[in-house]
PDB file of all heavy atoms in Angstrom:
ATOM      1  N   ARG K1230      27.245   9.779  -1.537  1.00 98.00           N
ATOM      2  CA  ARG K1230      25.959   9.405  -2.376  1.00 98.00           C
ATOM      3  C   ARG K1230      25.944  10.340  -3.478  1.00 98.00           C
ATOM      4  O   ARG K1230      25.897  11.558  -3.345  1.00 98.00           O
ATOM      5  CB  ARG K1230      24.709   9.542  -1.457  1.00 98.00           C
ATOM      6  CG  ARG K1230      23.450   9.061  -2.295  1.00 98.00           C
ATOM      7  CD  ARG K1230      22.258   9.848  -1.873  1.00 98.00           C
ATOM      8  NE  ARG K1230      22.381  11.280  -2.142  1.00 98.00           N
ATOM      9  CZ  ARG K1230      22.376  11.881  -3.316  1.00 98.00           C
ATOM     10  NH1 ARG K1230      22.049  11.191  -4.371  1.00 98.00           N
ATOM     11  NH2 ARG K1230      22.463  13.240  -3.491  1.00 98.00           N
ATOM     12  N   ARG K1231      25.830   9.803  -4.646  1.00 98.00           N
ATOM     13  CA  ARG K1231      25.570  10.544  -5.960  1.00 98.00           C
ATOM     14  C   ARG K1231      24.483   9.815  -6.702  1.00 98.00           C
ATOM     15  O   ARG K1231      24.280   8.574  -6.513  1.00 98.00           O
ATOM     16  CB  ARG K1231      26.781  10.609  -6.739  1.00 98.00           C
ATOM     17  CG  ARG K1231      28.017  11.417  -6.149  1.00 98.00           C
ATOM     18  CD  ARG K1231      27.679  12.827  -5.931  1.00 98.00           C
ATOM     19  NE  ARG K1231      26.999  13.572  -7.098  1.00 98.00           N
ATOM     20  CZ  ARG K1231      27.591  14.056  -8.129  1.00 98.00           C
ATOM     21  NH1 ARG K1231      28.936  14.032  -8.295  1.00 98.00           N
ATOM     22  NH2 ARG K1231      26.891  14.650  -9.096  1.00 98.00           N
ATOM     23  N   SER K1232      23.786  10.623  -7.535  1.00 98.00           N
ATOM     24  CA  SER K1232      22.846   9.916  -8.493  1.00 98.00           C
ATOM     25  C   SER K1232      23.628   9.225  -9.583  1.00 98.00           C
ATOM     26  O   SER K1232      24.291   9.921 -10.416  1.00 98.00           O
ATOM     27  CB  SER K1232      21.881  10.896  -9.047  1.00 98.00           C
ATOM     28  OG  SER K1232      21.040  11.325  -7.926  1.00 98.00           O
ATOM     29  N   ARG K1234      23.944   7.116 -12.993  1.00 97.00           N
ATOM     30  CA  ARG K1234      23.066   6.872 -14.155  1.00 97.00           C
ATOM     31  C   ARG K1234      23.494   5.632 -14.881  1.00 97.00           C
ATOM     32  O   ARG K1234      22.793   5.224 -15.866  1.00 97.00           O
ATOM     33  CB  ARG K1234      23.075   8.069 -15.017  1.00 97.00           C
ATOM     34  CG  ARG K1234      22.048   9.158 -14.756  1.00 97.00           C
ATOM     35  CD  ARG K1234      22.122   9.663 -13.366  1.00 97.00           C
ATOM     36  NE  ARG K1234      21.194  10.713 -12.974  1.00 97.00           N
ATOM     37  CZ  ARG K1234      21.534  11.961 -12.752  1.00 97.00           C
ATOM     38  NH1 ARG K1234      22.867  12.380 -12.748  1.00 97.00           N
ATOM     39  NH2 ARG K1234      20.617  12.916 -12.407  1.00 97.00           N
ATOM     40  N   GLN K1286      15.326   5.274 -19.352  1.00 97.00           N
ATOM     41  CA  GLN K1286      16.452   6.142 -19.008  1.00 97.00           C
ATOM     42  C   GLN K1286      17.580   5.333 -18.532  1.00 97.00           C
ATOM     43  O   GLN K1286      17.398   4.166 -18.099  1.00 97.00           O
ATOM     44  CB  GLN K1286      16.075   7.223 -17.966  1.00 97.00           C
ATOM     45  CG  GLN K1286      15.467   6.776 -16.653  1.00 97.00           C
ATOM     46  CD  GLN K1286      15.258   7.917 -15.724  1.00 97.00           C
ATOM     47  OE1 GLN K1286      16.192   8.504 -15.306  1.00 97.00           O
ATOM     48  NE2 GLN K1286      14.010   8.217 -15.403  1.00 97.00           N
ATOM     49  N   CYS K1405      19.888   5.717  -7.939  1.00 98.00           N
ATOM     50  CA  CYS K1405      19.367   6.935  -8.615  1.00 98.00           C
ATOM     51  C   CYS K1405      17.884   7.027  -8.448  1.00 98.00           C
ATOM     52  O   CYS K1405      17.159   6.184  -8.888  1.00 98.00           O
ATOM     53  CB  CYS K1405      19.765   6.836 -10.060  1.00 98.00           C
ATOM     54  SG  CYS K1405      19.280   8.360 -10.918  1.00 98.00           S
ATOM     55  N   PRO K1406      17.462   8.099  -7.816  1.00 98.00           N
ATOM     56  CA  PRO K1406      15.967   8.308  -7.704  1.00 98.00           C
ATOM     57  C   PRO K1406      15.513   8.773  -9.054  1.00 98.00           C
ATOM     58  O   PRO K1406      16.199   9.532  -9.705  1.00 98.00           O
ATOM     59  CB  PRO K1406      15.862   9.364  -6.668  1.00 98.00           C
ATOM     60  CG  PRO K1406      17.134  10.153  -6.690  1.00 98.00           C
ATOM     61  CD  PRO K1406      18.206   9.283  -7.220  1.00 98.00           C
ATOM     62  N   MET K1407      14.400   8.252  -9.461  1.00 97.00           N
ATOM     63  CA  MET K1407      13.868   8.535 -10.880  1.00 97.00           C
ATOM     64  C   MET K1407      12.387   9.138 -10.863  1.00 97.00           C
ATOM     65  O   MET K1407      11.517   8.358 -10.627  1.00 97.00           O
ATOM     66  CB  MET K1407      13.952   7.363 -11.770  1.00 97.00           C
ATOM     67  CG  MET K1407      15.343   6.786 -11.929  1.00 97.00           C
ATOM     68  SD  MET K1407      15.441   5.298 -12.976  1.00 97.00           S
ATOM     69  CE  MET K1407      14.668   4.141 -11.900  1.00 97.00           C
ATOM     70  N   GLU K1408      12.246  10.357 -11.104  1.00 94.00           N
ATOM     71  CA  GLU K1408      10.963  11.006 -11.257  1.00 94.00           C
ATOM     72  C   GLU K1408      10.499  10.582 -12.710  1.00 94.00           C
ATOM     73  O   GLU K1408       9.270  10.539 -12.831  1.00 94.00           O
ATOM     74  CB  GLU K1408      11.149  12.483 -11.218  1.00 94.00           C
ATOM     75  CG  GLU K1408       9.937  13.283 -11.271  1.00 94.00           C
ATOM     76  CD  GLU K1408       8.989  13.246 -10.022  1.00 94.00           C
ATOM     77  OE1 GLU K1408       9.611  13.119  -8.960  1.00 94.00           O
ATOM     78  OE2 GLU K1408       7.818  13.269 -10.195  1.00 94.00           O
ATOM     79  N   GLY K1409      11.400  10.510 -13.588  1.00 96.00           N
ATOM     80  CA  GLY K1409      11.007  10.337 -14.978  1.00 96.00           C
ATOM     81  C   GLY K1409      10.520   8.954 -15.266  1.00 96.00           C
ATOM     82  O   GLY K1409      11.119   7.954 -15.535  1.00 96.00           O
ATOM     83  N   MET K1429       8.663   7.281  -5.160  1.00 98.00           N
ATOM     84  CA  MET K1429      10.016   7.290  -5.768  1.00 98.00           C
ATOM     85  C   MET K1429      10.389   5.996  -6.263  1.00 98.00           C
ATOM     86  O   MET K1429      10.061   4.949  -5.593  1.00 98.00           O
ATOM     87  CB  MET K1429      11.002   7.681  -4.610  1.00 98.00           C
ATOM     88  CG  MET K1429      12.276   8.356  -5.077  1.00 98.00           C
ATOM     89  SD  MET K1429      12.187  10.138  -5.087  1.00 98.00           S
ATOM     90  CE  MET K1429      12.259  10.591  -3.375  1.00 98.00           C
ATOM     91  N   ARG K1445      29.632  17.221  -8.552  1.00 97.00           N
ATOM     92  CA  ARG K1445      28.371  17.734  -7.905  1.00 97.00           C
ATOM     93  C   ARG K1445      28.256  19.257  -7.968  1.00 97.00           C
ATOM     94  O   ARG K1445      29.297  19.971  -7.820  1.00 97.00           O
ATOM     95  CB  ARG K1445      28.427  17.236  -6.523  1.00 97.00           C
ATOM     96  CG  ARG K1445      27.238  17.654  -5.684  1.00 97.00           C
ATOM     97  CD  ARG K1445      27.244  17.133  -4.302  1.00 97.00           C
ATOM     98  NE  ARG K1445      26.280  15.959  -4.182  1.00 97.00           N
ATOM     99  CZ  ARG K1445      26.453  14.965  -3.440  1.00 97.00           C
ATOM    100  NH1 ARG K1445      27.568  14.793  -2.655  1.00 97.00           N
ATOM    101  NH2 ARG K1445      25.539  14.004  -3.340  1.00 97.00           N
ATOM    102  N   ARG K1447      25.973  22.535  -6.542  1.00 98.00           N
ATOM    103  CA  ARG K1447      24.961  23.098  -5.754  1.00 98.00           C
ATOM    104  C   ARG K1447      25.060  24.644  -5.838  1.00 98.00           C
ATOM    105  O   ARG K1447      26.216  25.110  -5.961  1.00 98.00           O
ATOM    106  CB  ARG K1447      25.075  22.693  -4.257  1.00 98.00           C
ATOM    107  CG  ARG K1447      24.750  21.217  -3.950  1.00 98.00           C
ATOM    108  CD  ARG K1447      23.340  20.826  -4.256  1.00 98.00           C
ATOM    109  NE  ARG K1447      22.989  19.516  -3.899  1.00 98.00           N
ATOM    110  CZ  ARG K1447      22.992  18.447  -4.734  1.00 98.00           C
ATOM    111  NH1 ARG K1447      23.357  18.579  -5.954  1.00 98.00           N
ATOM    112  NH2 ARG K1447      22.687  17.256  -4.258  1.00 98.00           N
TER     113      ARG K1447
HETATM  114  C1  LIG Q2348      12.460  13.507  -6.808  1.00 68.51           C
HETATM  115  C2  LIG Q2348      13.752  13.316  -7.656  1.00 68.51           C
HETATM  116  C3  LIG Q2348      13.503  12.847  -8.939  1.00 68.51           C
HETATM  117  C4  LIG Q2348      14.612  12.630  -9.739  1.00 68.51           C
HETATM  118  N1  LIG Q2348      14.449  12.118 -11.013  1.00 68.51           N
HETATM  119  C5  LIG Q2348      15.465  11.692 -11.800  1.00 68.51           C
HETATM  120  C6  LIG Q2348      15.273  11.029 -13.031  1.00 68.51           C
HETATM  121  O1  LIG Q2348      14.207  10.759 -13.462  1.00 68.51           O
HETATM  122  N2  LIG Q2348      16.425  10.672 -13.704  1.00 68.51           N
HETATM  123  C7  LIG Q2348      17.668  10.868 -13.222  1.00 68.51           C
HETATM  124  O2  LIG Q2348      18.622  10.575 -13.892  1.00 68.51           O
HETATM  125  N3  LIG Q2348      17.855  11.535 -12.092  1.00 68.51           N
HETATM  126  C8  LIG Q2348      16.878  11.914 -11.251  1.00 68.51           C
HETATM  127  N4  LIG Q2348      16.977  12.530 -10.116  1.00 68.51           N
HETATM  128  C9  LIG Q2348      18.354  12.794  -9.585  1.00 68.51           C
HETATM  129  C10 LIG Q2348      18.691  14.236  -9.638  1.00 68.51           C
HETATM  130  O3  LIG Q2348      18.900  14.673 -10.969  1.00 68.51           O
HETATM  131  C11 LIG Q2348      19.977  14.459  -8.747  1.00 68.51           C
HETATM  132  O4  LIG Q2348      19.618  14.117  -7.436  1.00 68.51           O
HETATM  133  C12 LIG Q2348      20.487  15.857  -8.840  1.00 68.51           C
HETATM  134  O5  LIG Q2348      20.969  16.200 -10.128  1.00 68.51           O
HETATM  135  C13 LIG Q2348      21.671  16.084  -7.851  1.00 68.51           C
HETATM  136  O6  LIG Q2348      22.720  15.170  -8.046  1.00 68.51           O
HETATM  137  P1  LIG Q2348      23.205  14.160  -6.923  1.00 68.51           P
HETATM  138  O7  LIG Q2348      22.141  13.353  -6.540  1.00 68.51           O
HETATM  139  O8  LIG Q2348      24.310  13.354  -7.505  1.00 68.51           O
HETATM  140  O9  LIG Q2348      23.721  14.967  -5.782  1.00 68.51           O
HETATM  141  C14 LIG Q2348      15.948  12.825  -9.228  1.00 68.51           C
HETATM  142  C15 LIG Q2348      16.059  13.214  -7.915  1.00 68.51           C
HETATM  143  C16 LIG Q2348      15.034  13.464  -7.109  1.00 68.51           C
HETATM  144  C17 LIG Q2348      15.200  13.840  -5.622  1.00 68.51           C
END
Side-chain angles (χ1 to χ4, degrees):
R1230 184 215 59 78
R1231 294 297 316 276
S1232 292
R1234 273 58 180 246
Q1286 55 174 296
C1405 184
M1407 296 178 292
E1408 180 77 32
M1429 205 91 76
R1445 179 175 256 150
R1447 292 294 188 266

